[in-house]
Amino acid sequence: MVVTREEVKHLGWLAKLEMSDAELQRYTAQIEEIISYLNMLNTIPLEQVKPIAMKKKFSELRKDAPENFEDAVLGTRYRKDGFVKGPRMV
Amino acid sequence: MATTTKIGLEIHCQLTGAKSKLFCRCSSDYRGKAPNANICPICAGLPGTLPLLNQKTVEFAAMITLALGCKFPDDIAFYRKNYFYPDLPKNFQLTQYNAYSITSIGVDGKLEYGNGKDARIRRVQLEEDPGRLVYASGSMDTSVYVLIDYNRAGMPLVEIVTEPDFADPKDVRMFLDKITSIIEHLGVCDTKLEGSVRCDANVSIDGGNKVEIKNISSFADVEKALRYEITRQRTMASREIQVRSETRHWDDARKVTKESRTKEEEQDYRYFPEPDIPMVLLGSEFVSFIRQSMPELPDTRKERFMSKYGLSAHIAQVLIGNKELADFFESTLMIYLSPKEIANWIVTDLMSFVDERQKKEEDKQHLLFAGLKVGPEHIADLARLVDQETINRATAKQILGQIVRTGEMPSALAKKMHASRIDDASVLAQAVQSVFQMEQAAVHDARRNANVANFLLGKVMKITKGTADPKIALEMIQKKLKED
Amino acid sequence: MPLYTLEAGQVVEGIKNREFSAEEYISQLLGRIEKVEPKVNAFVTLNKEEGLNRARMLDKKIRDGEQSGPLAGVALSIKDNICTKGMKTTCASKMLESYIPAYDATVIKRLMSAGAIIIGKANLDEFAMGSTTEFSRHGPTRNPWDISRVSGGSSGGSAASVAALECTASLGSDTGGSVRCPASFCSVVGLKPTYGLVSRFGLVSYANSLEQIGPVGRTVSDVVSILNVIAGSDENDHTTINSNKPTYSLQERKGFRAGLVMEFTEGADPGVSKMIYNAADTLEKQGCKCEEVSLPSVQYALASYYTIATAEASSNLARYDNIRYGFDMNPEGYEWNSYFAKARSNFGEEAKRRIIVGSYVLSSGYYGKYYLKAHQVRSLLKHEMETLFKRYDVLIGPTMPILPFKIGERIDDPLKMYLVDIDTVVANLTGMPAISVPAGFADGLPVGLQIMADQFAEQTMLDIAYLFEQAAKVQRSPEL
Ligand SMILES: [Zn+2]
């Protein structure tokens, strides 16, 4: 077995995805199949190959000039005194 | 019982010297603004936005890298540190990461921080600050919701990570003072702004498990937190209880470190390179540009103070230990060039008027001299009066004691005092008369040995409690010696 | 002939010369949409009123003798993962069902100032993750040539709306073939530019290092006129190439050398292969030299693509926690972990699957096994392609290895679905440009010819596409 149900459950916790038992069952089987396919990457001799990287010069970076953004940015209606309301932290 | 203590530090400095945030054009001056009034689609993590790396922050981070003796890689990259938290708009933090190849802006440095001690710097990296959480009812436990302000989100931070090279919390304090002076001198961080410098520490004793201490909100508390934690660990060791590897939080109110209550499942940050920011080429041209544009560092300044102005190592060290002092000193020299005199006035006399509380840096929000009404022009004036012997040192001290409160110019005050002295000429004559009566033997000696006149002057000064102008008094004594 | 059948160039000329008004043109399109949309389902949101307003303003401009712009009156459907200020941008997801962007994507700004009119937001697979547009909260977009079949994806709404004459042209996004696949299935032209040619600012990220926004049109000429407006560096996207704004034109050029990629023709359905060999013959008759070539590393392309795409996606989709924007769900009283998990359970199946796969390949200890290897494969492929481009102007093959299939046919088999992207992902992995042009029909269903060129060799690619289009004379629009 390449991927276990427990692993998928843990990944779900890391990615903050609630899954029912049925979903977990189905995803584990499907992800097992997908990861088995991706495992072909481990059969390729790639030691000599360098990954491609995009590069930029220091001079091309954004200049440090502040600018105000005028329009409303946040869409949520759960607000208080300008703050955004979030869930409990405990 | 001998124990070995190992302390390592993670220091965060906000680059408040930059005008805009790390990846967007929002102002870096977020303090005091209404909640969520200093945000844009980029720092609020709206869909479709892309990070736009601020050139200035790379420059500042590079200056810190050089100041800490770190090496530069050929190019730098940014990584995503993936974890969820309500203060993190994208639910990942853009930071740097050293794996597969060196990518953070500085690595492998060393900083001397006093009495020949030094600490190794593991890395210097550039990253973004998250937003801020506020608990509606004041506490995390009782609030049914949390209030989020994203104004701080995306502020540029430089993280400095040291090797566990400290054994004594006092050394940590000296090291942090040095870091403060460096970033102040570089102009990259205003350390007086609330929360602009933060420090996490890790502590282990006798090769035991490492404990991270987080949430230390000011450098001043680091020493306290470390002392507490070391004592806690030693006590455990003496009772043969094993120290757990854990993260503890510094409770600012109770001055203790506390176990973190949230027991999280094992976190896995799933780092990978940020695809929206190309690698930034540094290279030798960049490094020489930074070298040239770099302001003077405290150590160089100290040497200059010693060689150019002839100051003692001790006086020079006190001055550069706090950029405000050193700047005050140099501004004074611009008005009146008498380096040693002025340095003494600042380091010994002026400092004695600084509030004890401020000296201990418990109140770092304000400038050292904030409560005093003196500026460089006052000290320059004072030094000039003393140099020209218009007033004596004792009078000068008296004058300083007044002007720190009133802001009056020393020369103006001296003139007033001189006028009152003329009024008091008869008082002085009386004083001289009584000294001549009391010290007849000395008067006798003084007629043959002119130097003894100074003894008589001392007596006169004592009787007048130092209010007499010594010059006039001496003249009067000499005149009287000849007369009789 | 109804106005809605016109090409972009004809629309611009007609409106400018006042043969018809922009308002008339938009009204006719809206009528057409009303008629065919129930069958096709290409749109998520229609922009009727605002579209008509823009048309009237344009008509006034023209009456007043003002400049009207190179795309004056051209009506575009915009894939609903490209941000339009003040107009819902849902990514066909519950997570953004009521999301209204506070800003326009760079491409939208450029198109608007060129005089284009947005007629609606086009359907897609949720967050552009899919090859059929079946993974949409708004239901699948149907293939205008056979509405029992998929339109392709993920820009299915874009391609179908163009084929069904519901707009002049469209903007899609192409991460692993998402413009070219539906273009092929719907028998229209779809182009993926060189990585960095077109700004991604305002494109809701799926896999940042692979994707580009690309135009969809009924003709090569329409695609060129849109590309000319959207291409060029953007200060809001650090990954755009720093150079002068390119301008493409259509030239009658002959004597091209084309490499026919064996791995692509061999892996395709016989009906598709046959059409591609026919296409090669057509090009030879036009004086091109076609030879079979091999790209051995193609066998690793899909593993590389799905590793990188899911890894980047898992991180990109993390921001949808429903705190700052999203659907209506009061956070009060929830413990934060459970609020996040509950809100995020509203992602569709495919998005969830990719988030988990992406989290897996990035997990501690796996980075070197998957992500890094996948990037090395990109290098390998790029090197092979560059070697071929020393001898050939373009590489050709089928866009899709199969014909448009029935809706629902592959939806329960994710891996089988992924495998249909084999011919398209190569251009995304290498950053090279590619275009799909209609090649004809097999069993009455469209086949697309894919033409790939070297980085920033869009002009050459377009010249050959145009040459082929003129010679092949494929039927343009279906009966609906
Ligand atoms: Zn911002």
Side-chain angles (χ1 to χ4, degrees), chain A residues 67 69, chain B residues 21 23-27 38-44 150 153-154:
Chain A
E67 228 174 78
F69 188 82
Chain B
K21 290 184 180 178
F23 297 116
C24 68
R25 301 181 182 92
C26 287
S27 169
N38 190 55
I39 58 171
C40 73
I42 299 174
C43 58
Y150 296 103

Side-chain angles (χ1 to χ4, degrees), chain B residues 323-355:
Chain B
K323 183 170 179 285
E324 189 194 340
L325 274 188
D327 288 350
F328 191 99
F329 169 64
E330 294 214 88
S331 308
T332 312
L333 292 193
M334 301 280 279
I335 305 167
Y336 180 62
L337 192 68
S338 178
K340 282 188 185 167
E341 186 72 21
I342 286 167
N344 276 321
W345 279 112
I346 294 172
V347 170
T348 41
D349 301 292
L350 191 54
M351 281 300 278
S352 70
F353 293 106
V354 172
D355 198 315

Side-chain angles (χ1 to χ4, degrees), chain A residues 15-16 23 26 30 35 39 42 46 49-50 52 54 56 60 71 75-78 85 87-88, chain C residues 85 238-239 242 323-324 328 332-337 341 344 349 352-353 360 369-370 376 379:
Chain A
K16 303 280 176 270
E23 277 181 299
R26 190 168 67 246
Q30 289 170 341
I35 297 294
N39 276 339
N42 296 309
L46 288 166
V49 183
K50 271 189 76 177
I52 318 163
M54 254 192 135
K56 223 173 170 69
E60 295 171 309
D71 294 293
T76 178
R77 68 184 184 88
Y78 299 102
K85 276 188 193 174
R88 277 190 305 133
Chain C
K85 187 175 174 175
H238 271 349
T239 65
N242 202 357
I323 298 279
R324 292 158 297 280
D328 196 333
E332 275 177 57
Y334 280 100
E335 186 276 326
W336 74 272
N337 279 289
R344 288 168 58 77
E349 284 237 1
K352 281 192 218 170
R353 207 151 36 224
Y360 181 94
K369 252 177 103 178
Y370 297 100
Q376 289 173 306
S379 277

Side-chain angles (χ1 to χ4, degrees), chain C residues 21-155:
Chain C
S21 69
E23 186 178 357
E24 274 174 87
Y25 176 61
I26 298 295
S27 303
Q28 277 208 21
L29 272 173
L30 289 171
R32 169 76 180 174
I33 288 169
E34 203 168 315
K35 181 171 164 247
V36 302
E37 190 56 8
K39 294 181 202 161
V40 182
N41 191 34
F43 286 93
V44 173
T45 307
L46 281 173
N47 193 33
K48 285 185 198 169
E49 287 314 310
E50 181 57 25
L52 280 170
N53 276 342
R54 287 263 307 167
R56 287 182 204 114
M57 274 159 61
L58 179 65
D59 288 332
K60 185 179 180 302
K61 255 186 171 181
I62 287 165
R63 280 198 304 275
D64 294 349
E66 285 175 48
Q67 281 285 346
S68 51
L71 294 179
V74 167
L76 300 173
S77 69
I78 304 292
K79 191 178 184 179
D80 207 24
N81 62 347
I82 298 173
C83 291
T84 42
K85 187 175 174 175
M87 197 191 306
K88 265 195 216 172
T89 300
T90 71
C91 294
S93 177
K94 166 84 178 167
M95 299 307 295
L96 293 178
E97 67 173 11
S98 55
Y99 177 65
I100 298 172
Y103 70 99
D104 271 324
T106 298
V107 290
I108 297 298
K109 269 193 193 152
R110 290 184 181 173
L111 288 167
M112 300 282 265
S113 59
I117 294 169
I118 296 172
I119 199 149
K121 301 296 293 281
N123 201 8
L124 68 157
D125 288 293
E126 184 178 13
F127 287 100
M129 298 174 177
S131 309
T132 59
T133 316
E134 289 169 285
F135 296 118
S136 164
R137 207 172 117 67
H138 306 274
T141 292
R142 294 168 179 276
N143 194 315
W145 298 88
D146 176 350
I147 58 168
S148 71
R149 290 176 191 269
V150 298
S151 58
S154 65
S155 314

Side-chain angles (χ1 to χ4, degrees), chain A residues 55-56 64 67 82 84 86, chain B residues 19-20 36 75 146 148 279:
Chain A
K55 300 206 175 175
K56 223 173 170 69
D64 183 30
E67 228 174 78
V84 166
Chain B
K19 293 188 180 72
S20 63
N36 297 309
D75 36 42
V146 69
I148 315 169
M279 289 181 97

